[in-house]
């Protein structure tokens, strides 16, 4: 699928960016996204066998690390390991673990929707059949302080960090959905500029392209019309070429008249 628009000597085409890399493999991300799914490999690469191992590791690090953290983890889990082990007691244990972890990390849940394609979000999709939490995305207080060059994490900074983690999940969501686009800009039939890696909903992606286009191309993204593929693209190129030829002919016809008028004056 392609989209195209013309303006004067310019032809702008937009199409899906099939070469957009996995942002969790190629980019240097601020957060760490760890996911678990029986069919898909999602998020960052990791060696955790399950979510319990992940939470245990984060808790031990948040509780001081080493033998001290190990002992605190054992003491806490033994406290809740009372028969019969009810779902309520398991939930209380998880809350106690996360309470300690969140003292040393900013953590957000990661949900997956698996229905006619994949989608990801930090908020629940509220689809009991096709969605659920598959992992978390997190960043340590130590890394936050280093990144923002601060000694203390104010609440407003914590909110900024949460938004940054949400943006990373949104970018990965666009990758999973295939919402990645690139453009090519032609002037007088010749390719003069191209760029890819624009993610998100189509309207957002094309608006992000504006700053990469010359001032003479203002408004072209608003006039993009869908084409059916390569045959239609060829037709669009031919149509644009014909328009340019017709305009050149008109300019040529107009030029002698302009000269004669100037002579008479």
């Amino acid at each position: 699928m392609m989209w195209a628009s013309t303006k004067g000597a310019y032809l702008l085409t937009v199409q899906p960016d099939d070469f957009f890399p996995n942002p969790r493999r190629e980019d240097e991300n601020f957060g760490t996204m760890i996911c678990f799914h029986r069919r898909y490999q999602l998020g960052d690469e990791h060696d955790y066998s399950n979510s319990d191992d992940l939470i245990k590791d984060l808790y031990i690090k948040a509780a001081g690390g080493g033998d001290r953290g190990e002992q605190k983890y054992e003491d806490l889990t033994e406290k809740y390991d009372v028969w019969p082990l009810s779902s309520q007691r398991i939930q209380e244990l998880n809350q106690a673990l996360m309470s300690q972890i969140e003292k040393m990390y900013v953590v957000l849940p990661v949900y997956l929707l698996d229905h006619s394609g994949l989608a990801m979000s930090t908020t629940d999709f509220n689809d009991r059949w096709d969605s659920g939490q598959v992992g978390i995305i997190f960043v340590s207080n130590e890394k936050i302080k280093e990144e923002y060059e601060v000694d203390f994490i104010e609440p407003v900074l914590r909110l900024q960090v949460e938004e940054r983690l949400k943006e990373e999940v949104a970018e990965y969501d666009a990758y999973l959905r295939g919402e990645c686009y690139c453009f090519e800009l032609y002037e007088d039939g010749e390719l003069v500029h191209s760029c890819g890696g624009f993610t998100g909903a189509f309207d957002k992606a094309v608006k992000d392209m504006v700053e990469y286009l010359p001032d003479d191309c203002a408004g072209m993204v608003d006039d993009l019309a869908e084409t059916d593929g390569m045959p239609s693209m060829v037709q669009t190129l031919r149509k644009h070429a014909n328009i340019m030829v017709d305009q050149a002919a008109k300019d040529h016809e107009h030029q002698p008249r302009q000269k004669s008028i100037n002579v008479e004056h």
Side-chain angles (χ1 to χ4, degrees), residues 57-96:
D57 181 51
L58 292 179
Y59 179 89
I60 290 173
K61 291 175 180 176
D67 294 338
R68 179 185 178 187
E70 286 271 6
Q71 189 59 56
K72 286 187 175 182
Y73 178 80
E74 294 298 330
D75 293 342
L76 182 61
T77 53
E78 286 181 8
K79 177 182 176 181
Y80 289 91
D81 187 13
V82 179
W83 187 260
L85 193 60
S86 65
S87 59
Q88 180 179 350
R89 190 167 292 274
I90 293 174
Q91 183 177 4
E92 291 173 353
L93 171 60
N94 289 333
Q95 289 175 345

Side-chain angles (χ1 to χ4, degrees), residues 106-162:
V106 173
V107 185
L108 294 177
V110 174
Y111 298 92
L112 182 74
L113 176 65
D114 184 3
H115 183 78
S116 300
L118 302 179
M120 187 167 281
S121 176
T122 56
T123 56
D124 196 342
F125 288 98
N126 293 316
D127 185 329
R128 58 178 299 189
W129 302 111
D130 297 318
S131 71
Q133 186 174 351
V134 292
I136 59 175
I137 184 169
F138 58 91
V139 61
S140 67
N141 289 353
E142 181 181 359
K143 187 173 182 178
I144 295 170
K145 292 176 181 178
E146 181 180 353
E147 175 77 7
Y148 291 91
E149 299 180 347
V150 296
D151 296 322
F152 180 76
I153 302 175
E154 299 282 353
V156 64
L157 176 56
R158 190 177 185 87
L159 290 175
Q160 290 177 12
V161 170
E162 289 182 358

Side-chain angles (χ1 to χ4, degrees), residues 1-4 13-16 225-237:
M1 183 178 295
M2 295 183 182
W3 297 262
T13 67
V14 176
Q15 59 188 314
E226 186 177 329
T227 67
D228 296 328
M230 190 54 67
S232 294
M233 192 70 256
V234 172
Q235 293 172 5
T236 302
L237 285 166

Side-chain angles (χ1 to χ4, degrees), residues 27-251:
D27 297 348
E28 292 186 7
N29 295 292
F30 182 54
T32 299
M33 184 190 297
I34 304 298
C35 300
F36 302 92
H37 198 283
R38 64 181 182 274
R39 294 196 305 275
Y40 311 120
Q41 291 185 339
L42 302 167
D44 300 333
E45 294 181 354
H46 62 84
D47 297 323
Y48 298 107
S49 58
N50 53 51
S51 59
D52 290 340
D53 285 348
L54 169 62
I55 297 303
K56 177 181 178 180
D57 181 51
L58 292 179
Y59 179 89
I60 290 173
K61 291 175 180 176
D67 294 338
R68 179 185 178 187
E70 286 271 6
Q71 189 59 56
K72 286 187 175 182
Y73 178 80
E74 294 298 330
D75 293 342
L76 182 61
T77 53
E78 286 181 8
K79 177 182 176 181
Y80 289 91
D81 187 13
V82 179
W83 187 260
L85 193 60
S86 65
S87 59
Q88 180 179 350
R89 190 167 292 274
I90 293 174
Q91 183 177 4
E92 291 173 353
L93 171 60
N94 289 333
Q95 289 175 345
L97 291 168
M98 290 305 302
S99 178
Q100 178 64 41
I101 291 171
E102 289 174 349
K103 292 178 182 179
M104 302 301 295
Y105 295 86
V106 173
V107 185
L108 294 177
V110 174
Y111 298 92
L112 182 74
L113 176 65
D114 184 3
H115 183 78
S116 300
L118 302 179
M120 187 167 281
S121 176
T122 56
T123 56
D124 196 342
F125 288 98
N126 293 316
D127 185 329
R128 58 178 299 189
W129 302 111
D130 297 318
S131 71
Q133 186 174 351
V134 292
I136 59 175
I137 184 169
F138 58 91
V139 61
S140 67
N141 289 353
E142 181 181 359
K143 187 173 182 178
I144 295 170
K145 292 176 181 178
E146 181 180 353
E147 175 77 7
Y148 291 91
E149 299 180 347
V150 296
D151 296 322
F152 180 76
I153 302 175
E154 299 282 353
V156 64
L157 176 56
R158 190 177 185 87
L159 290 175
Q160 290 177 12
V161 170
E162 289 182 358
E163 287 302 315
R164 189 166 171 179
L165 295 181
K166 290 177 182 179
E167 289 173 1
E168 288 192 9
V169 175
E171 182 179 20
Y172 190 53
D173 172 64
Y175 167 77
L176 293 176
R177 292 176 182 266
E179 292 181 337
C180 311
Y181 303 91
C182 60
F183 75 81
E184 292 182 344
L185 181 66
Y186 297 83
E187 184 178 8
D188 294 326
E190 294 186 9
L191 179 64
V192 293
H193 187 34
S194 64
C195 188
F198 299 93
T199 62
F202 182 78
D203 290 345
K204 172 189 175 298
V206 296
K207 280 182 171 57
D208 291 340
M209 295 176 186
V210 171
E211 63 179 289
Y212 296 87
L213 299 173
D215 293 340
D216 291 344
C217 297
M220 290 189 73
V221 298
D222 299 323
D223 296 328
L224 286 166
E226 186 177 329
T227 67
D228 296 328
M230 190 54 67
S232 294
M233 192 70 256
V234 172
Q235 293 172 5
T236 302
L237 285 166
R238 287 176 176 171
K239 180 179 179 180
H240 185 247
N242 290 334
I243 292 174
M244 296 303 299
V245 169
D246 291 342
Q247 185 61 47
K250 290 179 181 179
D251 291 343

